[in-house]
Amino acid sequence: EEDGMYHGLFPRRQLWRPRLEYPLWDNDWDQRRPPPIDKLESEEGEGENSKPKMTEAQRDRYIRKKGVTKHIILIRHGQYDESHPEDSKRLLTPLGRKQAELTGVRLGKLIRGVNEEFGPCRVKVVRVSDLARAKETADIIYDNMGVDNDFDGEAIEKGEPDPLLNEGRPCHHIPGGRARASVVKRTDEHHPRIEQAFRKYFFRADMPDLSSVDEEKSESVGGQDNASPSATEEGATEKKLKTHPQHEFEIIVCHANVIRYFFCRALQLPPEAWLRLCTFNCSLTYFTIRPTGTVSCRMLGDIGHLPHELSTFSMHTGFNW
């Protein structure tokens, strides 16, 4: 049966199999769920008087309140010249460069913030695949964010290009016809790499220190005051916006197939649905991963920062295609 075909479409062995059947949610999807409380915490007292230091409900509530939420913003590269087989020549078109510039401007506003209500976001790193069109897009975005490299006292890292994020065929797609032998082979070659990329970048943040769990009732949810310092402080002429210590952002510039596969995997949907989604050039697909491991998508293929005349999907312009 393992060597058989899945409904006559592709080898059954290439079908993604979740650990739990759909639509159940796998709470340990990233293998970072805290262990049962009796394994995590030693007991206080001895014999009949022993009791756990905390219940699992107390621990999970503390993690929700004190843990870090990860924000991952996936950006598809700008439109590029597809007429060359060599990657080094598959560079952005003038339209694609403009798309990247406006994307950088939008992200710069997100990083800087507007006021205390719409505060700045702590972007820690800009990552990118190892293909020319993505690297060029990432460079233009970085140069147009309009923030100093030491913004808010913390550098925004420019990550080394990662070949794991390169474009490819992440898995088969449904609906679709019977896969040719070459497609089966290409899926065998690309799927493990793209799945490895997902596991490398999608996971919940480290669990907060539980040693002060008994003190959490007296502390604010944010863990510290996020309000801007007073303008009357020595040497201060205006309020300085501060990033939130419990929220960390990272930007990943990569490719349409990879983003669509990540979307399905992150939300624990069948990955074979990836081709039903459409992510335009320089669109934003934005996820949050809570410290408890829950995942949500705040944006899918968002191009609100691009005018109509800069809206493209590869060499398709506008929407009449």
Side-chain angles (χ1 to χ4, degrees):
E1 183 179 351
E2 284 296 310
D3 294 329
M5 298 291 288
Y6 181 72
H7 293 274
L9 298 174
F10 51 81
R12 186 178 294 273
R13 63 178 176 79
Q14 292 184 321
L15 177 70
W16 177 260
R17 291 179 173 85
R19 296 203 315 167
L20 300 179
E21 64 177 334
Y22 299 118
L24 295 176
W25 179 262
D26 181 1
N27 288 313
D28 197 26
W29 60 273
D30 57 351
Q31 299 181 3
R32 291 171 66 91
R33 184 184 185 187
I37 198 71
D38 58 345
K39 294 182 180 179
L40 180 70
E41 292 291 324
S42 59
E43 294 187 343
E44 294 180 334
E46 297 181 358
E48 296 181 356
N49 296 323
S50 65
K51 61 179 181 178
K53 289 184 178 179
M54 72 182 84
T55 66
E56 288 195 11
Q58 289 173 327
R59 179 200 64 194
D60 293 345
R61 182 168 59 250
Y62 185 80
I63 291 174
R64 280 195 299 271
K65 295 180 68 174
K66 301 300 183 182
V68 171
T69 294
K70 288 184 61 176
H71 301 251
I72 301 177
I73 301 176
L74 306 175
I75 302 176
R76 188 189 176 196
H77 56 78
Q79 186 193 59
Y80 70 103
D81 184 350
E82 301 182 24
S83 64
H84 301 282
E86 304 93 344
D87 177 62
S88 61
K89 296 180 179 180
R90 294 160 76 87
L91 302 176
L92 300 186
T93 64
L95 188 150
R97 289 193 289 274
K98 185 62 177 177
Q99 291 171 331
E101 290 173 7
L102 293 178
T103 304
V105 171
R106 178 179 184 179
L107 292 173
K109 293 180 180 178
L110 177 144
I111 294 170
R112 291 189 303 275
V114 179
N115 51 36
E116 292 183 11
E117 184 177 7
F118 295 91
C121 298
R122 184 160 57 119
V123 174
K124 297 181 69 68
V125 61
V126 177
R127 307 189 190 278
V128 63
S129 87
D130 197 32
L131 295 182
R133 57 190 182 271
K135 290 187 287 188
E136 186 180 4
T137 299
D139 287 342
I140 295 174
I141 287 174
Y142 199 88
D143 291 342
N144 283 271
M145 290 193 300
V147 295
D148 295 331
N149 198 39
D150 61 348
F151 174 74
D152 202 23
E154 186 173 359
I156 300 176
E157 178 188 351
K158 196 172 184 180
E160 291 295 321
D162 187 352
L164 293 179
L165 293 166
N166 288 1
E167 185 63 302
R169 182 179 177 84
C171 64
H172 294 289
H173 55 80
I174 300 174
R178 183 183 180 93
R180 302 186 304 275
S182 60
V183 173
V184 171
K185 179 181 179 182
R186 190 160 68 250
T187 303
D188 276 336
E189 293 172 351
H190 294 179
H191 169 75
R193 169 179 60 80
I194 298 174
E195 173 63 19
Q196 183 182 351
F198 173 77
R199 293 173 184 266
K200 181 177 181 179
Y201 295 116
F202 279 74
F203 55 88
R204 74 193 79 182
D206 292 338
M207 188 168 61
D209 181 12
L210 298 179
S211 61
S212 58
V213 66
D214 294 332
E215 303 172 7
E216 61 94 14
K217 293 182 181 179
S218 63
E219 297 179 3
S220 64
V221 172
Q224 73 178 56
D225 184 7
N226 266 338
S228 300
S230 170
T232 61
E233 292 180 4
E234 183 178 355
T237 57
E238 60 181 12
K239 291 184 177 181
K240 177 177 175 57
L241 300 177
K242 285 184 142 331
T243 57
H244 197 297
Q246 288 179 259
H247 294 269
E248 294 182 355
F249 291 71
E250 62 182 76
I251 297 166
I252 302 178
V253 182
C254 55
H255 307 271
N257 295 358
V258 174
I259 292 171
R260 291 182 282 188
Y261 179 78
F262 285 0
F263 174 89
C264 294
R265 288 285 287 112
L267 300 184
Q268 299 189 22
L269 303 173
E272 290 80 11
W274 66 269
L275 198 57
R276 304 174 200 175
L277 307 172
C278 187
T279 52
F280 277 48
N281 295 108
C282 280
S283 61
L284 276 60
T285 299
Y286 170 13
F287 297 93
T288 58
I289 304 176
R290 296 297 183 185
T292 53
T294 58
V295 183
S296 62
C297 180
R298 290 185 172 179
M299 300 178 191
L300 170 62
D302 188 328
I303 53 171
H305 56 292
L306 301 179
H308 180 63
E309 63 271 18
L310 293 181
S311 302
T312 64
F313 184 91
S314 300
M315 300 310 292
H316 299 290
T317 57
F319 301 97
N320 293 307
W321 51 273

